[in-house]
Amino acid sequence: MNGDENFITAILTQAVEDASYEGASKKYLKHKVSAIDWIVSYDPQYQEYCKMLGLDPSTIRNKILKNVNMTITKKQNNQIRLNTLPWQTRKYGQHTKVCSTIWQERR
């Protein structure tokens, strides 16, 4: 993989990690909800990133839904409801955190 592909893989990996967050931190719950929406709603940027890696967005989405627990627990839901400020969503194409590439392991 080249540098761009590694970076896009890291973005998709971070989205999956955020979507599967199991804690109750308001900060990370914001990212969880945003990541779930980004993946499930077929966000155009998500689709483009998958295509840039030669992956079918629908196939990857379905694999994520099948293999990643994205359930929002009762405790998390209560924490989300307590948050009265507008949420700032993570922009997956704009952060630079380097992540492990679980996609290679799951293909």
Side-chain angles (χ1 to χ4, degrees), residues 15-23 32 35-36 68-71 76:
V16 171
E17 289 175 2
D18 287 352
S20 63
Y21 175 67
E22 295 179 349
K32 178 181 180 105
I36 291 170
V68 177
N69 181 3
M70 297 190 294
T71 304
Q76 288 176 329

Side-chain angles (χ1 to χ4, degrees), residues 8-96:
I8 292 168
T9 300
I11 292 168
L12 291 170
T13 301
Q14 185 65 54
V16 171
E17 289 175 2
D18 287 352
S20 63
Y21 175 67
E22 295 179 349
S25 164
K26 287 181 186 181
K27 175 183 174 183
Y28 296 114
L29 285 173
K30 292 176 195 177
H31 297 315
K32 178 181 180 105
V33 172
S34 178
I36 291 170
D37 182 58
W38 191 69
I39 294 165
V40 174
S41 72
Y42 289 108
D43 183 281
Q45 192 174 44
Y46 161 79
Q47 292 184 41
E48 183 63 25
Y49 287 164
C50 288
K51 290 175 185 176
M52 289 173 77
L53 293 176
L55 304 171
D56 176 61
S58 295
T59 301
I60 296 304
R61 177 188 175 271
N62 291 337
K63 285 184 178 187
I64 293 169
L65 292 173
K66 182 179 177 182
N67 296 299
V68 177
N69 181 3
M70 297 190 294
T71 304
I72 296 177
T73 66
K74 186 175 180 178
K75 183 177 181 179
Q76 288 176 329
N77 194 39
N78 289 337
Q79 194 70 333
I80 291 168
R81 289 181 192 203
L82 291 175
N83 188 5
T84 58
L85 299 175
W87 287 7
Q88 296 178 342
T89 59
R90 176 174 284 190
K91 302 293 183 191
Y92 287 95
Q94 298 174 4
H95 65 85
T96 58

